[in-house]
Amino acid sequence: MTARDSETSYESVTPGGTGVSGHDPDSGGHFGSYGGRFMPEALIAAQDELAAEYDKARDDPEFVAELERLLRDYAGRPSPLTEVERFGAHAGGARVLLKREDLNHTGSHKINNVLGQALLVKRMGKRRVIAETGAGQHGVATATACALLDLDCVIYMGATDTRRQALNVARMRLLGAEVRPVEAGSATLKDAINEALRDWVTNVADTHYLLGTAAGAHPFPLMVRNLHKVIGEESREQVLRRTGRLPDAVVACVGGGSNAIGIFHGFIDDPGVRLVGMEAGGHGLDSGEHGAALTSGSPGTLHGARSYLLQDEDGQIAEAYSISAGLDYPGVGPEHAWLADTGRAEYRAVTDEEAMHAFRLLSRTEGIIPAIESAHALAGALRLGAELGPEAVLVVSLSGRGDKDMDTAAHYFGLVPEAGITGEDQG
Amino acid sequence: MSLHEVFRDCAAQRRAALIGYLPAGFPTVPDSAELFRAMVRGDGDTPGCDVVEIGIPYSDPVMDGPTIQAAGGEALRNGFRVRQLFDLVATVAEAGAAPVVMTYWNPVHRYGPDAFARDLAAAGGLGVITPDLIPDEADEWLTAARRYDLDRIFLVAPSSTDRRLAMTAEAGSGFLYAASVMGVTGARDSVSGSARDLVRRTREHTELPIGVGLGVRTAEHAAEVGSFADGVIVGSAFVSRVRREGTTGVAEFAAELGRGVRSNPAPVPEVVD
């Protein structure tokens, strides 16, 4: 397949979302019984300011046009939809089409959200941006937008993750961001979010917390979703043009769930299209070592919202596990919790092993190395294709590229002499 | 004795109430029972805390600085379970102080707000401070707390708008917790000027007593805060004292602070910063 699909005119879809859809939360940010604002009072004024500013911006033609320009000229949208026939042959012969968010500037879907929020920061007159990052993708995207728009940038990253993703730390520093390793707790993504929240409550007057996923307190889940809706809107138009029909299913990986909610929303009013989210099954749900909040967790409050999460019987938050740092999170965005309860979307878990199998399969059959996060969606497509057969059309969100994961992959598959051979499958 | 009566009695003595915080189960459950008794007892000359905040250690304490994070983490590593909270509440009540619980919302959500209120009231607890539950999200909690006659102690902050101060005061009972600075818990070298301003703004909306917390660490701070607030809240400094000097140090520190709130400094003219 060719890499670039030029069939779609970008102007036909509107980034950032305009107006109120039938899928917006109530004014307090509730999707059914999920979402809301379980936040310290000290931050409520800032959340209110952000919600009000976002409400104005999303209907302001100047803001929409500026975001549209950046997404087109800077991020490279629209991203192509690539049909992958050789990979599809392993998915029960189904037609599989990949939404290529990996081809965006900075290598993942994260840039959509970051550009939108960074423009909002300028509108609000704040100078300083803080963000959390797990694998480093959101941190790199945030540092990028801050470099572009001349904003001070501090990235909180779990100390464990700074060691696992040393190159992304260097990348963020090169872009002018300050990276602060977080030693507290498990020293991973959830602790980075905690530390960013502590910074925000202390410096909220001049600081915006640029949250990287469709989770957290209102208005983040709504705003981040709308900024990623462009993924689904482009996909719908592209798949119709290419195949003349809507897909049977749209598949995406779910950690916090931002790429999934973005692509789902392009199809949410098409009842014949199944929306399928793939969570991190880690070493298997029975092992207790996974990140499958929807498949295996229970309702609770974390980082500002009520949603599903991994917790013990006392309500202490459990440590998640996944081979993919981007899915290594014990919670999930509140709209996914609502979509799961209402049945509009379905969620399944994919183990490390299944994800790594799909990771290598796509690399070898199509010459595309996916992010390990996205490989979870690909593994889901292999399963769904087998279930639905060769007549099926599947759209898969390829949310990021796999360059950042080469160290993990090299160790897993034993690809370099000094790496331990830990993958059992030597192919 | 209710919180209302505690603040009324302190006001009759022309002083602020002393409110001390420690995490439950820190460093262990039996040790923490001793520490709570010491906080109440004081040194024999001067009594200690009028109100004790019993904190539920939590895995993700986003409102706490390093001192309380570390203490809560230690309690959890030593095996603290939420069901052990209630005996500690009873310990504080038996020692003669007013016990309230300070907790992030998820442990209560998980326990079940109604069951939590029931068990807390049965142990002699008087109310709950909820740093990450605002009245907007508190319907279920307000129902449960009213049912078991527990006070609902919400926070106000320097960033709170007047509209939110009024709404929070209306929903709360017992007292209002004024976070004196924008930031997390932790002892500071001086008491922020924003505390006085926040107390003044809050009083325009309520007759409820107002306790001031975040940053109080000496008898002098306690005296100063006590000159304009109805309650002086001390947390991280108690944790540090446990680390340095154990139970005896906590009893002495409680008495020092007790002398601070009783020192009756000349009334400080109200300052608007």
Side-chain angles (χ1 to χ4, degrees), chain B residues 10-169:
Chain B
C10 290
Q13 297 169 38
R14 305 181 57 77
R15 69 172 178 93
L18 178 61
I19 304 169
Y21 165 96
L22 278 176
F26 164 69
T28 67
V29 171
D31 288 342
S32 78
E34 281 309 309
L35 291 168
F36 284 127
R37 287 191 195 98
M39 285 173 97
V40 178
R41 187 173 62 238
D43 66 2
D45 291 331
T46 312
C49 298
D50 304 289
V51 178
V52 173
E53 293 179 11
I54 302 157
I56 299 185
Y58 185 52
S59 54
D60 294 79
V62 296
M63 276 295 283
D64 286 307
T67 305
I68 290 176
Q69 283 178 49
E74 189 171 337
L76 290 174
R77 278 193 302 281
N78 289 335
F80 174 80
R81 302 302 308 269
V82 171
R83 61 173 179 272
Q84 295 172 303
L85 173 76
F86 304 105
D87 279 349
L88 292 169
V89 169
T91 298
V92 169
E94 282 156 20
V100 298
V101 168
M102 172 114 170
T103 182
Y104 292 93
W105 186 241
N106 199 51
V108 180
H109 182 278
R110 184 71 170 158
Y111 198 93
D114 192 78
F116 188 86
R118 177 198 67 208
D119 292 353
L120 179 59
L126 301 180
V128 182
I129 305 168
T130 52
D132 63 351
L133 184 73
I134 55 175
D136 321 50
E137 299 286 353
D139 285 355
E140 193 182 3
W141 168 240
L142 292 173
T143 302
R146 287 197 189 101
R147 183 170 173 199
Y148 295 98
D149 202 20
L150 292 173
D151 282 318
R152 292 83 60 186
I153 302 149
F154 294 109
L155 275 69
V156 292
S159 59
S160 301
T161 59
D162 284 338
R163 192 187 61 77
R164 290 198 60 83
L165 289 178
M167 185 274 292
T168 304

Side-chain angles (χ1 to χ4, degrees), chain A residues 30 36-42 44-45 190 194 198 201 204 298-301 306 311-317, chain B residues 57-64 69 76 81-82 106-107 109-110 131-132 134 137 155 157 159-160 164 182-184:
Chain A
H30 301 96
R37 298 193 296 182
F38 292 84
M39 290 294 268
E41 169 66 21
I44 296 298
K190 125 183 133 72
N194 292 343
R198 292 183 187 114
V201 77
V204 67
S298 51
T301 55
R306 184 168 189 275
Q311 57 185 328
D312 72 10
E313 61 186 36
D314 272 1
Q316 308 289 348
I317 308 304
Chain B
Y58 185 52
S59 54
D60 294 79
V62 296
M63 276 295 283
D64 286 307
Q69 283 178 49
L76 290 174
R81 302 302 308 269
V82 171
N106 199 51
H109 182 278
R110 184 71 170 158
D132 63 351
I134 55 175
E137 299 286 353
L155 275 69
S159 59
S160 301
R164 290 198 60 83
M182 295 300 288
V184 296

